[in-house]
Amino acid sequence: MNTTPKLKPDFTPQLPTPASTNPEQESAITALHAAIPDLVKELDTATSEERTILAGWASQPVIVRQFLKAAAWDVVAAKKRLVATMKWRNEYKPDQITAEEVEPEAVTGKQFINGFDKTGRPQLFLVPRNENTKTYDRQIRFSVYMLERCIKLMPEGVEKVAVIIDYENLSLFNATPLSVSMKYMAVLSNHYPERLGVAVMVNASWYFSGFFKLLSPFLDPVTKSKLQFTKVNRSASAVTSDTASSKSEKPATEEGTGGWTNILDISNAEQLPIEFGGSYPFTYKHDVFWAEINAI
């Protein structure tokens, strides 16, 4: 087995075609970018140095586009969202979370980054049954830490992450509380708009169905549409992605989601660990993974 995660694409991704913009959207981009020097002045608690750093972050073309797209290209709404996120970044300091602070959350491999999907998006794997703490605030900071690492790993031309969640054997006894999941989803939606490319639910358990019904009303339609479900057969002598059964033979999924998919339509087999239906013989070993991920 290989304990080294793939943190650089070792294939040529099918990069997404850059989205075209119309004249009105181009005007909105120009307006929001020009407003950033004034927006940072609204950060009352930020020092001069912090305002300079935040202005640099907010001025990135990808950030400007993503906040505008999330606000349906409404410049006024995008300004409000961007100011709220700059205030959050100044207080929460997601880019300054240290490895030492969140390492206790990482030791069981409940989250790890490994490989890239067909379009070059870094793959963030979540394995909730490996939950090992009840330090919920630190759990969220760990999740933010991993997301920030994914962003750093994005190849040029890639702006989103692929999240793959293994829900097999999830139960009331090892699941993250709904309140914690909602807090993280709020962080992702409010402060990382348009960063989620796809979220693949692997082998969703009976518990997940009830859990998702409680969470679903709080998901915006765009996020919800990115949720897809897949089956991976782990009972056979060789782990395989379930390609034999038609979608009509599988249980109905929550309305508004992306429905059933074959995970190999999203990622090449060599980019997926064997237990996720791929061919990469990866096993999580904390000291190896942690050294690799913190070298980014």
Side-chain angles (χ1 to χ4, degrees):
M1 298 297 284
N2 198 324
T3 59
T4 303
K6 294 186 177 185
L7 301 181
K8 291 182 180 180
D10 54 2
F11 67 106
T12 302
Q14 301 168 2
L15 295 178
T17 302
S20 60
T21 51
N22 59 40
E24 290 79 9
Q25 291 169 339
E26 286 293 333
S27 178
I29 290 172
T30 300
L32 182 56
H33 189 273
I36 290 172
D38 289 330
L39 296 181
V40 296
K41 295 177 182 177
E42 298 182 31
L43 309 178
D44 299 333
T45 62
T47 65
S48 176
E49 181 181 0
E50 288 170 338
R51 286 179 181 146
T52 299
I53 293 171
L54 288 165
W57 171 83
S59 296
Q60 297 175 84
V62 60
I63 298 299
V64 173
R65 287 196 311 274
Q66 288 175 331
F67 274 80
L68 278 168
K69 188 174 181 181
W73 297 94
D74 182 324
V75 176
V76 173
K79 286 179 181 179
K80 291 180 179 178
R81 292 193 61 156
L82 191 54
V83 168
T85 291
M86 286 193 290
K87 288 181 177 179
W88 174 80
R89 290 187 72 88
N90 188 52
E91 295 168 3
Y92 200 80
K93 302 190 184 306
D95 54 333
Q96 296 180 35
I97 298 173
T98 66
E100 292 75 18
E101 176 188 350
V102 297
E103 184 173 11
E105 302 294 338
V107 294
T108 61
K110 65 187 178 188
Q111 289 191 30
F112 62 91
I113 303 167
N114 191 5
F116 297 78
D117 75 1
K118 290 182 178 181
T119 63
R121 298 177 295 203
Q123 296 176 157
L124 174 61
F125 292 85
L126 278 58
V127 189
R129 65 175 175 273
N130 288 345
E131 184 57 75
N132 62 318
T133 74
K134 294 187 181 298
T135 47
Y136 300 131
D137 287 342
R138 192 177 64 192
Q139 286 180 12
I140 294 174
R141 287 183 68 79
F142 171 57
S143 296
V144 170
Y145 178 83
M146 295 294 280
L147 182 54
E148 288 280 335
R149 287 295 180 277
C150 283
I151 292 171
K152 288 186 176 182
L153 287 171
M154 291 176 182
E156 185 176 354
V158 175
E159 301 175 353
K160 300 178 185 291
V161 61
V163 179
I164 301 172
I165 312 173
D166 184 356
Y167 279 112
E168 188 165 290
N169 297 326
L170 184 71
S171 71
L172 177 65
F173 303 103
N174 58 18
T176 301
L178 177 63
S179 60
V180 178
S181 296
M182 288 175 60
K183 284 182 180 179
Y184 178 64
M185 289 304 299
V187 169
L188 183 64
S189 176
N190 294 334
H191 306 306
Y192 294 91
E194 299 297 317
R195 282 299 190 187
L196 178 63
V198 65
V200 183
M201 315 298 175
V202 178
N203 294 357
S205 67
W206 64 268
Y207 176 82
F208 172 78
S209 179
F211 177 84
F212 188 71
K213 287 184 183 299
L214 295 174
L215 183 64
S216 181
F218 301 97
L219 298 176
D220 67 81
V222 174
T223 298
K224 196 172 181 180
S225 69
K226 295 176 181 178
L227 308 183
Q228 299 189 24
F229 298 81
T230 194
K231 289 283 187 181
V232 173
N233 182 6
R234 292 168 173 162
S235 61
S237 57
V239 179
T240 58
S241 178
D242 185 354
T243 60
S245 300
S246 68
K247 292 183 180 180
S248 63
E249 294 174 330
K250 293 184 171 69
T253 58
E254 183 79 13
E255 184 178 356
T257 67
W260 289 98
T261 189
N262 178 354
I263 198 169
L264 294 179
D265 290 338
I266 296 172
S267 299
N268 295 319
E270 59 270 18
Q271 294 295 311
L272 287 169
I274 290 174
E275 65 181 304
F276 288 88
S279 61
Y280 186 52
F282 175 78
T283 187
Y284 183 85
K285 187 174 182 182
H286 176 67
D287 57 345
V288 176
F289 175 82
W290 205 239
E292 292 281 338
I293 208 69
N294 290 304
I296 299 171

